[in-house]
Amino acid sequence: MATWVTGKVIRVEYWTDALFSLIVHAPVQPFTAGQYGKLGLEINGERVQRAYSYLNAPGNPDLEFYLVTVPEGKLSPHLAALKPGDELQLVSEPAGFFVLEELPDSDTLWMLATGTGLGPYLSILQEGKDLERFNNLVLVHAVRYESDLSYLPLMRELERRYEGKLRIQTVVSRETAEGSLTGRVPALIESGALEAAVGLPMTTENSHVMLCGNPQMVRDTQQMLKETRQMTKHLRRRPGHMTAENYW
């Protein structure tokens, strides 16, 4: 049975008309980087709830969530309207298995995200634990427009912190942006453009691929990697090369 607790909004960051971040203080239980929590609001007499990944490192009391406003959504427009000091509900217990301890060792860990699916990777990288198992880390953030790269300054800061171990690559699908690849993630992998830009190969021998975000990207990329790279889904009972988290 989920235990709901009351949280208080500390800050709201509005990145674009559709993207925003909530920073909340709440007495939730400790979570593992990569996990998610549930946010809820009482709307018209009932609690409306959705799952959102923690973006902050587990030791940071500022609980941060990266959200997109769905105009017809039951919850996100109400969350976007919150102001500092407002209250909301959170499930105390964290959930999810999109965490490093579930992954096998590999030479290169690829962290592929679309949109707000970036959140769990930023939590993992900000914490920095259990990453010594990988020689190379690659973070790919794919968005529609350059203005959607909300956390690029933090990504660059992390790139500097890891001193060459972490490589950042942005992808923009609907316009051309300096420093970013143009197109969709599956096509950029299939053509070799992503590996060429990063300077590392993605093979069954040396890579584990994490996928988070738009379910269509996740499905298409998994299918492409299965067909062209012979990669398989990673399961506890049967180790593989791909771990995925869908975002709706």
Side-chain angles (χ1 to χ4, degrees), residues 25-221:
H25 283 179
V28 297
Q29 295 181 15
F31 67 92
T32 300
Q35 288 191 302
Y36 60 86
K38 287 186 178 179
L39 306 183
L41 288 173
E42 292 289 334
I43 301 171
N44 297 325
E46 66 171 316
R47 180 190 286 131
V48 181
Q49 64 188 54
R50 295 289 185 272
Y52 297 102
S53 292
Y54 289 103
L55 183 145
N56 57 292
N60 187 343
D62 292 340
L63 307 178
E64 188 163 356
F65 303 93
Y66 186 31
L67 296 82
V68 60
T69 303
V70 180
E72 67 279 9
K74 290 185 177 181
L75 182 61
S76 60
H78 297 277
L79 292 174
L82 293 174
K83 305 298 180 188
D86 287 346
E87 293 184 343
L88 72 166
Q89 301 296 303
L90 297 87
V91 169
S92 175
E93 302 86 359
F97 298 97
F98 199 66
V99 296
L100 291 181
E101 65 188 51
E102 294 288 335
L103 305 186
D105 294 346
S106 67
D107 184 64
T108 301
L109 178 62
W110 293 81
M111 296 174 279
L112 311 183
T114 55
T116 56
L118 180 69
Y121 300 133
L122 293 182
S123 181
I124 288 168
L125 291 168
Q126 287 182 96
E127 183 179 42
K129 292 182 180 178
D130 198 29
L131 290 170
E132 63 280 351
R133 299 192 284 127
F134 311 101
N135 292 322
N136 303 295
L137 306 170
V138 181
L139 176 60
V140 177
H141 190 202
V143 297
R144 291 179 300 172
Y145 302 102
E146 187 177 19
S147 59
D148 297 333
L149 295 170
S150 313
Y151 283 92
L152 188 56
L154 175 57
M155 293 162 63
R156 293 301 182 200
E157 178 186 319
L158 288 166
E159 193 174 36
R160 291 189 291 273
R161 185 196 303 180
Y162 281 89
E163 300 177 332
K165 181 172 180 172
L166 172 64
R167 307 184 191 197
I168 301 290
Q169 182 60 56
T170 54
V171 177
V172 178
S173 63
R174 298 192 181 180
E175 63 184 10
T176 300
E178 185 177 356
S180 296
L181 294 174
T182 304
R184 295 185 68 243
V185 169
L188 291 169
I189 297 174
E190 188 169 20
S191 70
L194 179 60
E195 291 156 284
V198 171
L200 291 167
M202 185 187 294
T203 69
T204 54
E205 288 75 25
N206 66 11
S207 298
H208 193 86
V209 181
M210 299 180 79
L211 299 149
C212 188
N214 185 312
Q216 192 67 52
M217 181 279 289
V218 172
R219 286 192 297 269
D220 291 350
T221 304

